[in-house]
Amino acid sequence: MRRNRHLTFLFALGIVGLAAAAALPGSATAQRPGGAFGGFANNPGARLWAALNQRFEGFSERLALSDEQANSAAVLIADFREANEDALGRYDRMRAQMRDRVGGAARRGGGGGARRGAGGGNAQARQAMQEMRRLVDQLGPAFEVLHRDFSALLSEEQTETLTSLLQRQPRG
């Protein structure tokens, strides 16, 4: 039963990925390292933001931040959030929509609903991909600055721990 859920999820994820890839011109994916998102999913700053935004206390404990470092990080996070408020709001909404779409396709039994959409899904997928590209262009550099500034707060040992915490883990 569990294996079927995993396979259904992977199939739905594949359908979403194919729809997204079909919506992109070939040259757009060739111009950006890491695919259409310009390596956004591989951006350690984006993963750092997710960790700091969603689970700061646990993340700071794993890094063994001192009180001074934690306070400096809190100021850095607040400044980052304020400076990028609009784009971060769109980013959070887009991520939630993508999760809902993938989860909805898995609940329907593996993406069959996308084929029944008679093409309506392609326009929506294309629009979503364009919006995500704009967010990548806008937030990518800001995430890199966040990563640099946050790393500057850390000792050498903490920086090594941060690097290992931010590495993409293969799903298994």
Side-chain angles (χ1 to χ4, degrees):
M1 179 74 169
R2 185 175 197 169
R3 181 177 176 186
N4 287 339
R5 265 193 235 155
H6 289 292
L7 291 175
T8 300
F9 175 77
L10 287 174
F11 180 75
L13 189 59
I15 294 295
V16 170
L18 286 173
L24 291 172
S27 62
T29 56
Q31 293 172 352
R32 299 173 185 258
F37 293 114
F40 194 58
N42 293 324
N43 183 329
R47 287 195 305 281
L48 174 63
W49 170 248
L52 294 174
N53 188 42
Q54 296 170 4
R55 52 188 188 277
F56 177 75
E57 286 187 25
F59 196 73
S60 63
E61 286 176 13
R62 293 201 54 196
L63 288 172
L65 296 182
S66 69
D67 289 342
E68 182 180 333
Q69 287 173 313
N71 290 336
S72 295
V75 169
L76 183 67
I77 293 165
D79 290 347
F80 179 81
R81 187 177 283 126
E82 183 179 333
N84 299 288
E85 183 176 9
D86 183 51
L88 288 172
R90 290 192 326 256
Y91 174 73
D92 290 341
R93 285 190 299 276
M94 295 271 319
R95 287 183 61 215
Q97 288 172 354
M98 289 179 168
R99 272 194 308 268
D100 291 346
R101 284 182 185 158
V102 171
R107 285 189 298 274
R108 286 190 303 272
R115 288 189 296 257
R116 290 190 294 267
N122 286 340
Q124 289 175 338
R126 211 173 6 264
Q127 184 179 8
M129 290 299 291
Q130 289 170 349
E131 176 66 16
M132 186 57 87
R133 267 185 254 133
R134 282 191 292 271
L135 286 171
V136 168
D137 290 342
Q138 185 175 358
L139 284 173
F143 282 141
E144 290 172 13
V145 169
L146 173 69
H147 185 262
R148 182 196 67 215
D149 292 350
F150 185 82
S151 296
L153 300 173
L154 306 177
S155 69
E156 187 175 323
E157 183 179 318
Q158 289 169 321
T159 302
E160 291 174 13
T161 302
L162 176 67
T163 300
S164 69
L165 290 173
L166 296 180
Q167 288 180 347
R168 289 192 72 182
Q169 301 298 320
R171 294 182 185 234

